[in-house]
């Protein structure tokens, strides 16, 4: 059996399982309804897109991390059954990860894009960049936090501990992080804050996504301190490229470590 | 069919398998018995490659098991009361395993028929009863005409009729030359099925041999009492 066909069939059946889950439908509806509400009452399309971006940055990492961890634990028996077939572990892991991530990406894209398509007369040409980066950010957050959830759930034997770890990672990246940045700028004062802050941004996938989102919106507000530093240091084009490169690394490393842990794990 | 030499496995401080040397005969049904936590499931999972032993080797039909996964095409595994993805149907699970295995081996769908699974196969597994899920679990393990069947508590949750159907199938497959390893806490089931017994306690093999030998040794005339006797004398020792 070839690598591609193993991965493909694991993805195919897992997608069937996931798209029938009420949970995934609710996830799609959440974004569709939020987007619809913001476009109607959000006070202008630019503002609505930015608000939707903030919601995506908040919700997608949390939901992906929690659902991903729970999913791996719930699939434990199923994984064992698949491991007892003549398949390689690495291929199975790739199939399980993609079979989780792809339906989730599809769900969030559908949910975000539906109201935008519905109100396409409102969305002007100048918003296209913002819309594309919004969708790209949603996909990137799903890919990164899905990889982190799979890594944590593979390495940590205890279900509750794994869930705790996944939530802690999210908490650190989405809430505590801003506090750390604030403290860092206060302590460092007028000294050379640019480089440390740049490092902090790269160390946080959610902040990278935020930078990417803001670089492509026509409002520079809500950029945050690190975003401003990032833009000043790189400029828009190079900034986007750097953020995308760093985000790719944030997906690639957990996937690689997860693969290694899965290959060595005792089931 | 299978030989283990010096198989050892630790989980933290727990020594689950301690230098297990075993030979599982071809074309025979071997019952793996022992108290809870004796290492039965770990031993089965080691043979399947789900658990990696710390030391020792497993020889399967003359080949030492390593990183090559192709030997698993010859094994049918029936795990202990597994949870399948809740929104998939039995038919989809079967199709998926067929996809993963390719069609190198002839299909054996007799259990699907004798369990009369029919339309149950088209319902999501979450809506099925525990017994029906266990029937699907059994049917999947036998479906690819494996040379070796590994059955972990196969009759758990089955009604007497289904349980008898499954045991008949095990005996029929043994008759056609297949090798079976089975664990169960239901000694009367093993009494019907087993040719050999392996008694495992605290990760060590305490007895391995034909059922008649165990009965003779313990001076008991049924398997349940013989195993109970073995556990008693072990505790006394």
């Amino acid at each position: 059996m070839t690598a591609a066909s193993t991965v493909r069939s694991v993805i195919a059946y897992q997608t069937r399982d996931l798209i029938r889950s009420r949970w995934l439908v609710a996830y799609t509806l959440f974004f569709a309804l939020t987007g619809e509400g913001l476009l109607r009452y959000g006070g202008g399309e630019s503002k609505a897109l930015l608000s939707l971006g903030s919601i995506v940055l908040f919700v997608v990492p949390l939901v992906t991390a929690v659902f991903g961890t729970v999913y791996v634990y719930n699939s434990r028996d199923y994984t064992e059954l698949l491991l007892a077939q003549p398949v390689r572990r690495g291929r199975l892991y790739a199939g399980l990860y993609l079979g989780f991530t792809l339906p989730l990406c599809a769900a969030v894209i559908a949910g975000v894009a539906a109201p935008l398509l519905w109100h396409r007369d409102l969305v002007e040409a100048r918003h296209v960049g913002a819309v594309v980066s919004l969708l790209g950010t949603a996909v990137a957050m799903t890919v990164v936090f899905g990889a982190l959830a799979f890594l944590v759930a593979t390495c940590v034997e205890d279900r509750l501990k794994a869930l705790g770890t996944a939530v802690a990672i999210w908490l650190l990246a989405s809430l505590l992080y801003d506090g750390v940045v604030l403290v860092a700028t206060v302590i460092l004062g007028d000294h050379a804050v640019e480089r440390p802050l740049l490092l902090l941004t790269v160390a946080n996938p959610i902040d990278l996504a935020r930078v990417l989102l803001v670089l492509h919106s026509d409002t520079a507000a809500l950029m945050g301190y690190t975003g401003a530093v990032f833009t000043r240091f790189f400029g828009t084009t190079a900034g986007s490229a750097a953020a995308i490169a760093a985000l790719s690394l944030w997906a690639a490393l957990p996937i690689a470590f997860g693969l290694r842990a899965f290959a060595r794990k005792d089931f | 069919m299978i030989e283990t030499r010096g198989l050892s496995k630790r989980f933290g401080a727990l020594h689950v398998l301690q230098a297990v040397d075993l030979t599982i005969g071809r074309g025979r049904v071997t019952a793996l018995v022992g108290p809870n936590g004796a290492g039965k499931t770990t031993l089965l999972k080691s043979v399947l490659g789900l658990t990696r032993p710390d030391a020792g080797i497993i020889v399967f039909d003359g080949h030492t098991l390593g990183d090559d996964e192709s030997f698993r095409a010859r094994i049918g595994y029936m795990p202990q009361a597994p949870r399948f993805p809740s929104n998939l149907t039995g038919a989809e699970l079967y199709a998926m395993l067929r996809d993963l295995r390719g069609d190198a081996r002839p299909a054996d769908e007799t259990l699907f028929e004798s369990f009369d699974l029919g339309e149950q196969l088209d319902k999501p597994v979450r809506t099925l009863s525990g017994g029906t899920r266990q029937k699907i679990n059994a049917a999947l393990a036998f479906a690819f005409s494996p040379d070796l069947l590994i059955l972990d508590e196969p009759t758990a949750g089955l009604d007497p009729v289904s349980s008898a159907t499954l045991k008949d199938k095990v005996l029929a497959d043994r008759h056609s030359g297949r090798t079976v390893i089975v664990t169960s806490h239901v000694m009367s089931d093993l009494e019907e099925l087993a040719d050999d017994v392996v008694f495992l306690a605290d990760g060590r093999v305490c007895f391995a041999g034909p059922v008649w030998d165990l009965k003779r040794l313990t001076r008991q005339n049924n398997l349940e009492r013989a195993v109970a006797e073995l556990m008693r004398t072990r505790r006394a020792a």
Side-chain angles (χ1 to χ4, degrees):
Chain A
M1 181 128 203
T2 65
S5 56
T6 303
V7 175
R8 210 166 36 228
S9 67
V10 176
I11 293 174
Y13 289 97
Q14 211 168 349
T15 303
R16 283 194 206 184
D17 180 41
L18 270 168
I19 57 173
R20 289 174 197 157
S21 89
R22 279 185 213 111
W23 182 92
L24 202 69
V25 176
Y27 188 56
T28 310
L29 279 179
F30 168 79
F31 287 111
L33 293 177
T34 309
E36 177 68 24
L38 285 171
L39 282 171
R40 272 173 194 259
Y41 312 110
E45 298 70 52
S46 303
K47 224 171 145 193
L49 282 174
L50 212 58
S51 308
L52 197 54
S54 304
I55 291 168
V56 162
L57 284 183
F58 191 80
V59 172
V60 172
L62 175 64
V63 169
T64 310
V66 170
F67 190 49
T69 316
V70 171
Y71 195 83
V72 172
Y73 280 92
N74 287 350
S75 310
R76 176 85 187 233
D77 288 355
Y78 175 60
T79 308
E80 286 182 20
L81 182 68
L82 297 186
L83 279 169
Q85 313 303 320
V87 292
R88 288 207 193 132
R89 284 192 175 200
R91 295 173 185 176
L92 191 56
Y93 189 78
L96 290 171
Y97 168 70
L98 290 172
F100 171 78
T101 312
L102 295 179
L104 237 66
C105 284
V108 71
I109 287 176
V112 170
L116 293 173
L117 285 173
W118 183 253
H119 295 284
R120 59 184 172 279
D121 47 319
L122 292 178
V123 184
E124 297 162 29
R126 68 191 166 95
H127 294 133
V128 168
V131 170
V132 170
S133 66
L134 179 61
L135 295 176
T137 307
V139 168
M141 288 295 92
T142 309
V143 169
V144 169
F145 279 84
L148 287 169
F150 266 62
L151 171 63
V152 168
T154 305
C155 293
V156 182
E157 198 62 27
D158 183 81
R159 183 195 179 105
L160 275 178
K161 268 188 205 154
L163 204 57
T165 311
V167 172
I169 291 175
W170 172 79
L171 212 59
L172 204 67
S174 82
L175 298 178
L176 292 177
Y177 173 82
D178 288 332
V180 171
V181 169
L182 196 68
V183 170
T185 39
V186 168
I187 290 176
L188 291 169
D190 300 328
H191 301 290
V193 288
E194 285 207 349
R195 278 164 199 278
L197 282 186
L198 216 56
L199 274 178
L200 267 179
T201 302
V202 174
N204 181 351
I206 297 182
D207 204 31
L208 283 169
R210 183 157 54 197
V211 167
L212 209 53
L213 207 57
V214 173
L215 283 178
H216 293 278
S217 81
D218 53 1
T219 9
L222 296 178
M223 180 177 280
Y225 200 62
T226 51
V229 170
F230 206 84
T231 324
R232 204 164 69 207
F233 193 83
F234 283 113
T236 306
T237 316
S240 302
I244 289 171
L247 271 175
S248 310
L249 214 60
W250 263 107
L253 287 179
I255 291 171
F257 286 128
L259 266 171
R260 219 170 72 127
F262 190 80
R264 296 175 177 183
K265 188 178 164 80
D266 286 322
F267 283 88
Chain B
M1 184 84 182
I2 291 183
E3 218 186 310
T4 73
R5 285 185 219 137
L7 207 62
S8 293
K9 181 70 192 175
R10 262 176 196 283
F11 287 123
L14 215 65
H15 219 145
V16 191
L17 296 176
Q18 309 192 39
V20 171
D21 293 313
L22 259 186
T23 305
I24 307 282
R26 178 189 304 279
R28 295 176 74 82
V29 177
T30 303
L32 195 56
V33 297
N36 298 326
K40 303 187 292 279
T41 299
T42 306
L43 181 61
L44 295 184
K45 286 185 171 179
S46 301
V47 172
L48 284 161
L50 292 181
T51 297
R52 310 284 166 97
D54 300 329
I57 56 165
I58 300 168
V59 181
F60 180 87
D61 223 6
H63 300 281
T64 304
L65 298 187
D67 281 333
D68 184 15
E69 72 290 337
S70 58
F71 74 95
R72 287 196 213 109
R74 299 178 56 197
I75 301 182
Y77 174 46
M78 183 177 170
Q80 198 178 117
R83 286 177 53 182
F84 296 125
S86 49
N87 299 313
L88 289 184
T89 65
E92 283 170 330
L93 280 170
Y94 180 36
M96 163 163 215
L97 295 188
R98 222 169 25 219
D99 270 10
L100 286 181
R101 284 173 167 261
D103 38 21
R105 303 185 75 84
D108 174 3
E109 296 179 357
T110 46
L111 271 185
F112 288 105
E113 285 147 29
S114 43
F115 279 145
D116 202 15
L117 282 169
E119 60 194 49
Q120 307 290 341
L121 285 176
D122 296 322
K123 295 179 186 164
V125 286
R126 95 185 110 80
T127 64
L128 302 175
S129 71
T132 310
R133 265 180 268 177
Q134 185 70 343
K135 287 181 203 170
I136 292 177
N137 184 21
L140 291 175
F142 285 82
F144 303 96
S145 314
D147 298 329
L148 170 67
L149 281 153
I150 295 181
L151 314 174
D152 201 352
E153 297 283 345
T155 55
L158 291 183
D159 61 58
V161 178
S162 314
S163 179
T165 307
L166 181 58
K167 283 183 277 186
D168 288 344
K169 177 64 179 160
V170 172
L171 291 174
D173 275 26
R174 188 203 124 201
H175 195 71
S176 54
R178 305 221 158 92
T179 307
V180 183
I181 307 177
V182 55
T183 76
S184 181
H185 286 104
V186 188
M187 289 301 144
S188 56
D189 284 348
L190 295 179
E191 179 98 62
E192 281 179 64
L193 298 174
D195 303 301
D196 298 324
V197 183
V198 171
F199 184 88
L200 215 59
D202 298 326
R204 289 178 208 275
V205 178
C206 300
F207 175 88
V211 173
W212 60 261
D213 198 24
L214 177 66
K215 289 180 181 168
R216 185 186 55 84
L217 207 76
T218 53
R219 297 203 187 85
Q220 300 291 336
N221 52 22
N222 76 51
L223 187 63
E224 179 152 31
R225 289 189 179 278
V227 170
E229 182 65 29
L230 208 59
M231 287 169 91
R232 236 191 329 268
T233 48
R234 234 188 66 76
R235 213 167 289 148

